[in-house]
Amino acid sequence: MNSDPLIARATAARERAIAPYSGFKVGASLRTRAGKVYDGCNIENASYGLTVCAERVALLKALSEGEREFEAMAVVTDADTLTPSCGSCRQLMWEYCGDITVLLHSLKGLEQTHQLSELYPEPFDASNL
Ligand code: THU
């Protein structure tokens, strides 16, 4: 198992998830290159489409604080399979974080480490414009 402390941060963030509709709690923690960590959890809404994923909460918190250089994102759930971030989060992570390390962890005892470029190959980005 990965002993990266980012997993513990995301595990704690997951406890703050607001997920009454899906019951699927997600925690995400994003580490800057300078070592600062921003945490997020999923925040659901009765108008389901307004739900915001944990990864985006962490990323937008960091960006809004002026952070621009990132190193790793941890994503923690208690699912039977790992949760490799939805397509919208991958797109945003690619745009603002580049090819960071993504640590996927399930409290059921699963774990994988990827580069974002593996999870999101052939992305659309500014180079396509
Ligand atoms: N969710 C995340 O927070 N991150 C992911 O990577 C996948 C999905 C949330 C959104 C919603 O609140 C719940 O998980 C079920 O889709």
Side-chain angles (χ1 to χ4, degrees):
M1 293 297 264
N2 196 309
S3 57
D4 193 307
L6 207 54
I7 303 255
R9 285 286 294 253
T11 300
R14 179 182 169 275
E15 292 300 317
R16 301 190 287 274
I18 305 172
Y21 305 107
S22 72
F24 191 76
K25 293 182 171 186
V26 186
S29 294
L30 178 61
R31 185 164 61 222
T32 69
R33 284 198 203 157
K36 191 161 180 188
V37 175
Y38 292 84
D39 301 312
C41 58
N42 51 331
I43 300 175
E44 299 186 346
N45 188 275
S47 179
Y48 295 175
L50 295 180
T51 290
V52 186
C53 292
E55 295 92 321
R56 263 178 280 174
V57 171
L59 175 59
L60 296 180
K61 281 170 69 177
L63 291 173
S64 67
E65 292 301 319
E67 303 289 357
R68 295 292 184 271
E69 304 273 312
F70 301 103
E71 179 188 275
M73 174 81 86
V75 183
V76 173
T77 70
D78 70 349
D80 292 334
T81 56
L82 292 168
T83 301
S85 299
C86 78
S88 298
C89 287
R90 294 187 208 190
Q91 175 70 22
L92 282 170
M93 287 159 64
W94 181 260
E95 173 104 13
Y96 295 111
C97 304
D99 196 13
I100 57 169
T101 299
V102 182
L103 306 165
L104 305 178
H105 181 94
S106 165
L107 299 175
K108 297 263 169 67
L110 305 170
E111 194 162 284
Q112 283 178 5
T113 302
H114 295 275
Q115 289 305 115
L116 183 58
S117 56
E118 295 169 54
L119 298 175
Y120 200 48
E122 301 196 38
F124 173 78
D125 61 23
S127 70
N128 300 111
L129 296 175

